[in-house]
């Protein structure tokens, strides 16, 4: 079959699948995605020169900071606003729009970010079989419960694989100064959006000796500039100090080490505000095309549940440090003589380190985190090769376990996500890694 016909059928396939899923996800979005509302309120508070992380809503504050799903806690207690100050800045362009409009825009952003992942993965391919592999995995991801939960909550995790793809795209073109600078800028955005993403970039240190000092300085310039601004600007520094404090408090809450918050369990509920109609929201919930089955899958949580073993914050951090350090050492030892180590393998390994940190994190890992597997799945599919069939079978199995309800498989979603993680690591430590350029 001529290549142009393949392109046509891929386009029709993606259009049909995306159209069906978008119609479904519009219904899900009608159920009020609470997390994007939290982030918008955080952005508005910062815009109005307030520290958002310990804010307690009061009726006299008006509707600008209102969220019906956030209880009116005592003043000074930690709030449910947990996005970084930098991410709040990213929301400034839309933060003053009505919340109902923002929610629809966010749904569009979620789809846009997933499509960015797919298109950049397409740019790495050299034949149609690889494009078909990406298109097929793209379609499967849209049917995972993690994606639907991501839509239902209005979460932001799909941004992470999209930015990772943009970073890799720029790094592969590092001989052009503009792309190297853009790679550094994207790295800055990623780290300041979610600081644990610094783990994603650690493997790239192995290639520093191949770059002249001028290029290294150009790459790190955005990181240095934004770090200096965050430290030297008094207001910005106060946001980051509060953010650090609130994350520490949330860790204690998640681990059950904090005392109970005093809260009004009957918060003020309004029927209508900023375009939202709670009667319509309640009606939407009766016809939603999903019933969420939440799996909390942190290592410490599984240890509590199945082995009745509790971990301290210090123990969790030590385990994370030992695990990531050991993997980095083994990766270096395995590839130390590989003069052609690709940016792609470094990116897959870095993303695996970041994913491991989520499982070992004292912050609860929810279902919607799984959308981040778009990065390793699409990226590995972009280099589809018949010699890697077992890897693609396992990736397929991992996604299917996140789609179908299989009651006799305990924590099927987690099992599927761990399969994708271990397949990614397996590839990084396998001779097959030479097939990834």
């Amino acid at each position: 079959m001529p290549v142009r016909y393949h392109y046509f059928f891929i386009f029709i396939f993606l259009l049909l699948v995306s159209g069906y899923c978008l119609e479904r996800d519009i219904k899900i979005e009608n159920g009020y995605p609470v997390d994007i509302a939290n982030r918008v309120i955080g952005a508005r508070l910062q815009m109005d020169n307030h520290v958002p992380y310990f804010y307690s809503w009061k009726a006299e504050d008006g509707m600008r900071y209102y969220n019906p799903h956030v209880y009116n806690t005592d003043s000074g207690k930690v709030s449910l606003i947990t996005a970084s100050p930098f991410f709040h800045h990213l929301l400034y362009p839309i933060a003053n729009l009505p919340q109902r409009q923002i929610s629809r825009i966010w749904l569009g952003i979620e789809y846009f970010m997933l499509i960015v992942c797919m298109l950049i993965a397409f740019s790495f391919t050299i034949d149609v079989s690889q494009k078909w592999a990406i298109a097929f995995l793209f379609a499967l991801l849209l049917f995972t419960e993690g994606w639907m939960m991501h839509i239902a909550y209005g979460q932001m995790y799909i941004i992470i694989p999209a930015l990772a793809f943009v970073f890799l795209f720029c790094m592969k073109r590092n001989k052009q100064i503009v792309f190297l600078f853009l790679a550094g800028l994207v790295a800055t955005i990623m780290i300041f959006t979610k600081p644990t993403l610094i783990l994603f970039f650690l493997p790239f240190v192995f290639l520093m000796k191949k770059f002249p000092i001028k290029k290294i300085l150009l790459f790190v310039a955005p990181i240095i500039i934004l770090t200096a601004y965050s430290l030297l600007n008094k207001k910005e520094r106060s946001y980051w100090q509060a953010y650090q404090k609130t994350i520490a408090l949330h860790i204690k809450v998640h681990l059950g080490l904090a005392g109970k918050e005093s809260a009004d369990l009957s918060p003020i509920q309004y029927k209508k505000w900023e375009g939202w109609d709670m009667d319509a929201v309640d009606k939407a919930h009766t016809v939603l095309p999903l019933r969420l089955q939440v799996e909390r899958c942190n290592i410490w949580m599984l240890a509590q549940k199945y082995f009745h073993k509790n971990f301290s914050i210090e123990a969790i951090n030590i385990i994370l440090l030992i695990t990531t350090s050991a993997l980095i050492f083994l990766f270096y030892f395995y590839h130390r003589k590989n003069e052609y180590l690709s940016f792609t393998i470094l990116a897959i390994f870095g993303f695996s380190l970041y994913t491991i940190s989520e499982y070992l994190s004292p912050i609860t890992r929810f279902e919607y985190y799984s959308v981040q597997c778009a990065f390793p799945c699409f990226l590995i599919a972009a280099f589809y090769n018949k010699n890697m069939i077992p890897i693609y079978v396992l990736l397929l199995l991992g996604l299917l376990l996140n789609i179908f309800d299989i009651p006799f498989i305990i924590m099927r979603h987690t099992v599927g996500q761990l399969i994708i993680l271990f397949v990614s690591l397996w590839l990084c430590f396998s001779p097959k890694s030479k097939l990834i350029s």
Side-chain angles (χ1 to χ4, degrees):
M1 183 187 297
V3 172
R4 65 179 181 275
Y5 289 140
H6 279 282
Y7 290 162
F8 174 76
F9 286 122
I10 288 173
F11 176 77
I12 295 299
F13 170 72
L14 291 172
L15 187 64
L16 291 174
V17 172
S18 300
Y20 171 82
C21 291
L22 179 59
E23 182 180 9
R24 176 204 66 197
D25 292 343
I26 288 172
K27 295 176 183 177
I28 295 175
E29 185 272 336
N30 286 334
Y32 185 72
V34 62
D35 286 334
I36 185 58
N38 258 349
R39 285 154 173 72
V40 167
I41 291 168
R44 288 177 176 181
L45 285 164
Q46 278 188 200
M47 292 174 76
D48 298 340
N49 299 317
H50 301 302
V51 176
Y53 300 104
F54 299 92
Y55 172 76
S56 177
W57 183 82
K58 303 175 187 63
E60 55 266 30
D61 294 342
M63 303 303 293
R64 179 167 170 78
Y65 311 131
Y66 174 72
N67 185 338
H69 290 264
V70 179
Y71 289 160
N72 183 21
T73 57
D74 290 342
S75 178
K77 299 294 184 179
V78 65
S79 74
L80 294 182
I81 297 171
T82 57
S84 73
F86 179 79
F87 187 74
H88 289 153
H89 285 307
L90 296 180
L91 291 176
Y92 280 12
I94 63 172
N96 286 325
L97 297 173
Q99 285 201 38
R100 185 69 191 91
Q101 186 177 348
I102 293 173
S103 183
R104 292 191 178 105
I105 291 172
W106 194 253
L107 174 62
I109 290 174
E110 289 173 286
Y111 265 83
F112 174 75
M113 290 296 173
L114 184 60
I115 291 170
V116 165
C117 294
M118 179 184 64
L119 292 179
I120 294 180
F122 277 163
S123 74
F124 299 150
T125 63
I126 57 175
D127 61 53
V128 291
S129 63
Q130 295 168 339
K131 289 182 172 63
W132 270 115
I134 296 167
F136 188 57
L137 294 183
F138 174 91
L140 287 179
L141 193 141
L142 284 174
F143 287 96
T144 61
E145 196 158 313
W147 172 259
M148 290 187 282
M149 187 179 290
H150 196 278
I151 299 296
Y153 284 89
Q155 267 295 343
M156 48 73 70
Y157 286 92
I158 191 59
I159 292 176
I160 293 171
L163 289 174
F165 266 115
V166 174
F167 171 80
L168 182 58
F169 180 87
C170 292
M171 285 300 292
K172 282 176 171 285
R173 291 155 179 78
N174 67 83
K175 292 182 179 180
Q176 296 175 263
I177 295 298
V178 64
F179 281 110
L180 191 61
F181 177 78
L182 287 174
L185 181 61
V186 173
T188 305
I189 293 171
M190 291 176 70
I191 293 170
F192 276 77
T193 296
K194 194 174 184 188
T196 53
L197 277 165
I198 195 170
L199 290 169
F200 171 68
F201 300 100
L202 289 183
F204 289 89
V205 174
F206 296 146
L207 295 182
M208 284 185 63
K209 61 183 180 181
K210 295 184 178 181
F211 287 90
I213 188 65
K214 289 182 179 180
K215 284 193 172 183
I216 295 174
L217 289 175
L218 184 66
F219 176 85
V220 301
I223 300 175
I224 294 172
I225 292 170
L226 191 54
T227 301
Y229 170 74
S230 299
L231 290 175
L232 298 177
N233 184 283
K234 184 177 180 180
K235 186 185 301 180
E236 198 67 21
R237 187 170 68 249
S238 70
Y239 294 153
W240 280 102
Q241 288 171 339
Y243 174 71
Q244 184 179 20
K245 185 177 180 180
T246 197
I247 293 300
L249 290 172
H250 274 286
I251 287 173
K252 290 183 178 181
V253 170
H254 283 236
L255 290 175
L257 301 176
K260 292 184 177 180
E261 298 279 345
S262 58
D264 176 8
L265 297 181
S266 301
I268 299 174
Q269 296 280 351
Y270 293 96
K271 285 288 185 182
K272 296 181 179 181
W273 82 100
E274 294 198 23
W276 280 109
D277 183 333
M278 293 312 291
D279 288 333
V281 169
D282 292 339
K283 184 178 179 181
H285 277 286
T286 64
V287 296
L288 283 181
L290 78 161
R291 293 294 179 265
L292 299 176
Q293 300 178 18
V294 179
E295 292 181 7
R296 296 176 175 86
C297 52
N298 303 68
I299 299 300
W300 60 267
M301 193 170 289
L302 296 177
Q304 282 182 341
K305 182 176 181 179
Y306 294 106
F307 301 104
H308 309 291
K309 175 69 176 178
N310 293 320
F311 285 91
S312 66
I313 298 173
E314 293 76 16
I316 292 172
N317 289 332
I318 289 172
I319 293 171
L320 175 60
L321 178 62
I322 292 174
T323 302
T324 53
S325 298
L327 284 170
I328 291 172
F329 173 79
L330 291 172
F331 184 82
Y332 171 76
F333 184 80
Y334 184 82
H335 290 283
R336 71 190 187 284
K337 296 181 180 180
N338 184 0
E339 296 182 2
Y340 303 100
L341 184 60
S342 71
F343 287 117
T344 306
I345 287 296
L346 290 171
I348 293 172
F349 180 62
F351 210 85
S352 298
L353 292 178
Y354 161 68
T355 304
I356 289 169
S357 75
E358 290 183 333
Y359 284 102
L360 294 176
S361 170
I363 297 292
T364 305
R365 186 183 192 276
F366 288 100
E367 213 81 8
Y368 42 70
Y369 282 60
S370 66
V371 301
Q372 297 173 118
C373 76
F375 184 75
C377 286
F378 294 2
L379 192 52
I380 296 172
F383 298 91
Y384 174 80
N385 187 299
K386 291 181 179 179
N387 293 321
M388 296 197 300
I389 290 298
I391 288 175
Y392 298 113
V393 170
L394 289 171
L395 289 179
L396 177 62
L397 176 62
L399 286 174
L400 291 176
L401 285 171
N402 281 270
I403 296 174
F404 295 108
D405 187 7
I406 309 173
F408 63 85
I409 299 180
I410 299 174
M411 299 193 74
R412 59 184 173 85
H413 295 154
T414 301
V415 171
Q417 293 161 35
L418 287 174
I419 288 173
I420 294 171
L421 171 60
F422 288 129
V423 165
S424 300
L425 285 172
W426 172 28
L427 178 60
C428 292
F429 290 95
S430 164
K432 292 182 173 60
S433 62
K434 295 179 181 180
L435 300 173
I436 306 292
S437 61

